[in-house]
Amino acid sequence: MEKEFLSAAIIDKIKNVEKKIKEIDINLQDVSIAKDRQRFEELLKNRALYEKILSLFSNYCLEMDNLKYLEGLFNDDNKETSSLARSEYKHKKEIIGKITNDINFLFYPKEDSDCRNVIMEIKGAVGGDEASLFAADLFRMYTKFAVKKSWSTKILSAIHDGIGGIDVVFKIIGEDVYSKLKYESGVHRVQRIPKTEANGRIHTSTALVLVMPEAKEIDVSIKPSELKTDTFRSQGAGGQNVNKTESAVRITHIPTGIVVYCQTEKSQLQNRKICMEMLMAKIYQKKLLEQQQKNEAERKLKLGSGERSEKIRTYNFPDNRVTDHRINFTVKKLDTIMDGDMDIVIDALLLHNNS
C-alpha cells in the first residue's frame, strides 16, 4: 500500500466506529445520561465525529475503486484512453491522499486546547523593511488559509509601517483551529529579491509568528493589582491622528512583564476588552510552554529572538520552495502555499508529531 493511503491500523479502527455509534445510541436513550448535560453533549460530540469518519471512509473506498478501474485502462489499445486514464489516476491519488490526511487527523490524540480558536501575532524581525513586508505576506497567507477552511478572522491590533508592512495580532475562529496551527509558532525566514533591490540580489529576512490558543477565564487568573494600564490617542501610519480622544490602550502584566496594545476600536472600553483577551492568551500560552518544556522538551514551541539560525521554515521565492527545517520537509509549491493552500505543510507537521 502506498504511503498516502490508509494504514491497516487505521482501517481496523474505522471498522470499530459503527460499533461505537451503536453503543452511543443506546447510552443516549438512558434517562440518567440524558439528565447529565455534560455527558450527554460529550456523547453527541463523539457521535458526530464517528459519523464524519464513516463519511470520509465511504468517499475513500469509492475513490479507491475508481483508482483500480483507471489502473486497468493503462494498457488499453486506444492510446488516448490510456493517456487520459493515467492523467486521471494521478488526480485521484491526490484526492485519496487528501481524504487519508483528513481521516488520520481525526484519529490523532487531542489536547485540551486543540479545539480552541487562536490568537496569532506576526511581526517583522531581522531584515528591516523587507522583514515587515514579509510579515504582511504571512498575514495574508494565514487569512487565505482560514478562508479555505471556512474559518473567520478578526484583527485585534495592527500597526502599519506605511510601505505595506505590518505588525498584527488577529483571531482565527473555527473548528479545531489550534490543532491545525499550533506548530506555526517560530521564526519564518524568507529568501527573495526585494522590490527595492536595484542589483537583483537575494536578501534573507525573518518574521516572528506566535500562535496562542484562546484563553478562558478559568485558565488564567489576573488580579487588577497586577495590571498597569496606559491610555493615549490612537495613531495611524506616519503619525496621523486616528482619534482625538485617548481611546488607545496599553496594558502591562507586572508579574510576567507581558505588554499588549490595542487601538483598533474607537472606544477605550472596547480596546481594553481586546487587550485583556490578548493578555489572557499570552499568559495561557506561557503556561502551556512551561508545561511543554517539562514534559515534551523536543516538541516545545518557542519564538526566540528572530535570528536567522533559529528558523523553523524557509520560503525561497527564486526556487518556489518551502522547507520546514524541523521535519526536513521540502516542497516546490511556494506560490500556492502563499495563496493559502497550506495543507501540504500542515499535514506533514501533524503526521510527524503524531507518528
Side-chain angles (χ1 to χ4, degrees):
M1 189 69 68
E2 299 189 44
K3 65 179 180 180
E4 66 264 36
F5 298 160
L6 288 174
S7 66
I10 291 294
I11 291 177
D12 286 341
K13 289 181 179 180
I14 293 173
K15 289 178 180 177
N16 290 324
V17 166
E18 285 190 11
K19 180 181 177 182
K20 290 182 178 180
I21 289 178
K22 290 178 180 178
E23 291 174 354
I24 288 175
D25 287 341
I26 292 172
N27 286 326
L28 288 173
Q29 296 174 25
D30 189 320
V31 177
S32 63
I33 290 179
K35 292 180 179 179
D36 185 342
R37 183 176 178 180
Q38 184 176 353
R39 175 61 176 154
F40 189 77
E41 290 181 352
E42 182 182 350
L43 287 171
L44 288 177
K45 184 178 180 180
N46 287 338
R47 194 185 194 287
L49 171 64
Y50 295 145
E51 287 283 6
K52 188 173 183 179
I53 290 171
L54 289 180
S55 177
L56 285 169
F57 186 61
S58 176
N59 292 337
Y60 173 87
C61 292
L62 178 63
E63 296 298 349
M64 287 294 288
D65 288 340
N66 290 334
L67 208 63
K68 291 177 182 178
Y69 171 74
L70 290 168
E71 198 170 22
L73 298 176
F74 283 0
N75 297 318
D76 193 275
D77 293 336
N78 187 315
K79 291 185 178 180
E80 183 178 354
T81 299
S82 175
S83 177
L84 287 172
R86 291 179 184 275
S87 177
E88 183 65 14
Y89 183 87
K90 182 179 179 181
H91 176 62
K92 289 296 182 183
K93 279 184 65 176
E94 291 177 352
I95 293 175
I96 292 172
K98 179 66 173 64
I99 296 173
T100 298
N101 287 335
D102 289 343
I103 292 175
N104 285 334
F105 172 74
L106 295 176
F107 280 105
Y108 291 152
K110 298 292 190 294
E111 299 175 356
D112 291 340
S113 55
D114 278 352
C115 62
R116 299 193 184 190
N117 303 324
V118 304
I119 292 177
M120 291 188 70
E121 181 175 352
I122 304 175
K123 58 184 179 181
V126 177
D129 290 344
E130 177 64 10
S132 181
L133 290 168
F134 180 51
D137 290 338
L138 290 177
F139 173 57
R140 283 188 288 271
M141 178 183 75
Y142 287 117
T143 52
K144 287 182 178 181
F145 180 62
V147 170
K148 293 178 187 295
K149 291 295 180 184
S150 299
W151 298 336
S152 60
T153 59
K154 178 184 178 182
I155 294 178
L156 302 181
S157 175
I159 301 175
H160 300 270
D161 62 7
I163 62 169
I166 194 173
D167 282 0
V168 63
V169 181
F170 62 106
K171 182 192 288 190
I172 302 181
I173 306 159
E175 183 180 357
D176 297 325
V177 182
Y178 186 65
S179 64
K180 289 280 189 178
L181 294 176
K182 61 184 176 181
Y183 299 115
E184 293 302 295
S185 288
V187 178
H188 294 239
R189 181 178 71 168
V190 63
Q191 294 175 323
R192 64 184 176 187
I193 302 171
K195 294 178 181 179
T196 55
E197 175 54 60
N199 296 321
R201 293 178 298 180
I202 295 175
H203 282 222
T204 298
S205 306
T206 64
L208 292 173
V209 175
L210 175 61
V211 181
M212 301 167 285
E214 186 179 28
K216 303 173 183 177
E217 289 188 11
I218 194 172
D219 301 318
V220 179
S221 176
I222 302 176
K223 298 177 182 178
S225 60
E226 297 175 337
L227 303 178
K228 179 179 181 295
T229 303
D230 299 299
T231 60
F232 40 91
R233 292 182 181 181
S234 299
Q235 296 289 311
Q240 179 183 0
N241 281 333
V242 175
N243 198 322
K244 293 183 179 180
T245 62
E246 293 191 346
S247 61
V249 177
R250 180 175 61 235
I251 297 179
T252 303
H253 185 242
I254 298 170
T256 61
I258 294 173
V259 180
V260 291
Y261 165 85
C262 184
Q263 65 169 25
T264 308
E265 306 295 330
K266 293 182 179 180
S267 163
Q268 183 185 118
L269 187 63
Q270 287 297 317
N271 283 332
R272 178 180 172 81
K273 182 179 178 181
I274 292 172
C275 275
M276 289 303 297
E277 188 175 3
M278 290 190 288
L279 182 60
M280 287 175 61
K282 282 180 175 285
I283 294 174
Y284 182 53
Q285 176 73 354
K286 188 174 185 294
K287 288 172 62 177
L288 289 180
L289 287 174
E290 289 171 352
Q291 182 179 343
Q292 289 167 357
Q293 286 168 359
K294 292 178 182 177
N295 302 329
E296 298 182 71
E298 75 281 2
R299 292 184 180 182
K300 67 181 178 180
L301 307 175
K302 71 170 188 175
L303 274 179
S305 64
E307 294 298 324
R308 296 181 180 92
S309 60
E310 296 174 344
K311 64 186 180 294
I312 64 166
R313 189 177 299 154
T314 293
Y315 303 73
N316 185 293
F317 278 72
D319 292 342
N320 196 37
R321 169 172 53 83
V322 174
T323 298
D324 196 290
H325 304 284
R326 296 164 295 180
I327 58 175
N328 295 318
F329 176 81
T330 296
V331 60
K332 289 198 171 185
K333 291 186 177 181
L334 181 145
D335 52 345
T336 59
I337 289 171
M338 296 303 294
D339 198 41
D341 292 324
M342 297 182 64
D343 281 316
I344 190 168
V345 179
I346 299 292
D347 289 340
L349 283 163
L350 289 172
L351 178 62
H352 175 83
N353 285 283
N354 289 280
S355 59

